[in-house]
């Protein structure tokens, strides 16, 4: 057996394998993933999960929204899958704001029954906004809401597009809001 030929052949095979791994492996290692067009970060998940709240109590939570779509987008919010059988939402006030701009200031019950989105603001591409959702329990609420519960899903998204949030059409993954017209 010719050891010089065997070593050269083995060296050549290893060089080819190394080159293949290096070339293809490097492309995977350095692949850049595109960010999601819309990033929504809730301060807590779920945003509200408070129990045993009393008249006069209040809580404020934030939702951070980032637009990576490449275009300015209108940001909307709405409630879906609402359950408020005992009317607890009618003694809870909801304020949705960003800094000093108030977008909604009414009862949570009215918000849950709206059946339409609330426009928050226009957000330019690459920008981030922090929206505050403050819920307060009416000071003069009587005991009729004691042991009551309510629930809902909060949907934050781009206005327009093909994705749906309840009955509202919102922008989805990869949707820049440009419908081609």
């Amino acid at each position: 057996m010719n050891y010089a030929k065997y070593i050269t052949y083995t060296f050549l095979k290893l060089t080819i394998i190394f080159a293949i791994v290096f070339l293809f492996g490097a492309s995977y290692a350095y692949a850049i993933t595109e960010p999601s067009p819309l990033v929504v970060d809730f301060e807590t998940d779920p945003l509200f999960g408070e129990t045993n709240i009393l008249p006069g109590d209040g809580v404020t939570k934030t939702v951070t929204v980032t637009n990576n779509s490449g275009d300015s987008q209108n940001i909307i919010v709405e409630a879906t899958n609402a359950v408020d059988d005992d009317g607890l939402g009618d003694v809870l006030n909801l304020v949705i704001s960003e800094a000093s701009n108030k977008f909604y200031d009414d009862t949570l019950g009215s918000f849950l029954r709206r059946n339409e989105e609330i426009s928050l603001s226009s957000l330019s591409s690459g920008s981030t906004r922090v929206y505050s959702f403050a819920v307060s329990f009416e000071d003069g609420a009587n005991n009729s809401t004691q042991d009551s519960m309510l629930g809902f899903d909060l949907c934050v998204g781009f206005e327009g597009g093909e994705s749906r949030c309840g009955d509202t059409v919102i922008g989805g993954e990869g949707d820049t809001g440009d419908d081609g017209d």
Side-chain angles (χ1 to χ4, degrees):
M1 177 179 245
N2 185 346
Y3 287 110
K5 187 176 179 182
Y6 176 74
I7 291 174
T8 303
Y9 180 70
T10 303
F11 179 74
L12 183 61
K13 283 192 330 188
L14 289 174
T15 302
I16 292 171
I17 291 171
F18 176 74
I20 290 171
V21 169
F22 178 75
L23 291 175
F24 289 109
S27 66
Y28 289 117
Y30 296 106
I32 298 174
T33 58
E34 297 249 346
S36 176
L38 173 67
V39 178
V40 179
D41 291 315
F42 291 91
E43 180 179 333
T44 57
D45 188 13
L47 188 60
F48 295 103
E50 282 61 33
T51 59
N52 197 27
I53 58 173
L54 304 171
D57 286 352
V59 63
T60 300
K61 300 287 181 89
T62 60
V63 176
T64 303
V65 179
T66 303
N67 174 8
N68 296 317
S69 72
D71 296 309
S72 287
Q73 299 287 342
N74 292 323
I75 306 301
I76 57 102
V77 63
E78 77 167 327
T80 61
N81 304 317
V83 177
D84 185 16
D85 297 333
D86 300 321
L88 178 61
D90 293 327
V91 294
L92 298 172
N93 191 60
L94 172 65
V95 175
I96 304 172
S97 62
E98 181 218 358
S100 62
N101 299 322
K102 283 187 184 178
F103 304 106
Y104 184 84
D105 187 356
D106 200 351
T107 68
L108 180 57
S110 293
F111 177 71
L112 300 179
R113 292 186 296 270
R114 266 181 83 88
N115 291 326
E116 64 184 53
E117 76 274 6
I118 295 171
S119 182
L120 297 179
S121 59
S122 180
L123 188 58
S124 60
S125 182
S127 296
T128 298
R129 295 259 174 92
V130 178
Y131 300 100
S132 295
F133 290 75
V135 176
S136 57
F137 200 150
E138 233 178 58
D139 245 341
N142 60 36
N143 288 336
S144 67
T145 57
Q146 194 169 6
D147 296 324
S148 295
M149 296 177 66
L150 65 77
F152 61 96
D153 293 328
L154 189 64
C155 183
V156 178
F158 293 154
E159 182 178 49
E162 295 181 16
S163 298
R164 291 203 172 267
C165 191
D167 292 328
T168 302
V169 177
I170 61 167
E173 286 290 316
D175 188 356
T176 62
D178 181 12
D179 60 7
D181 293 332

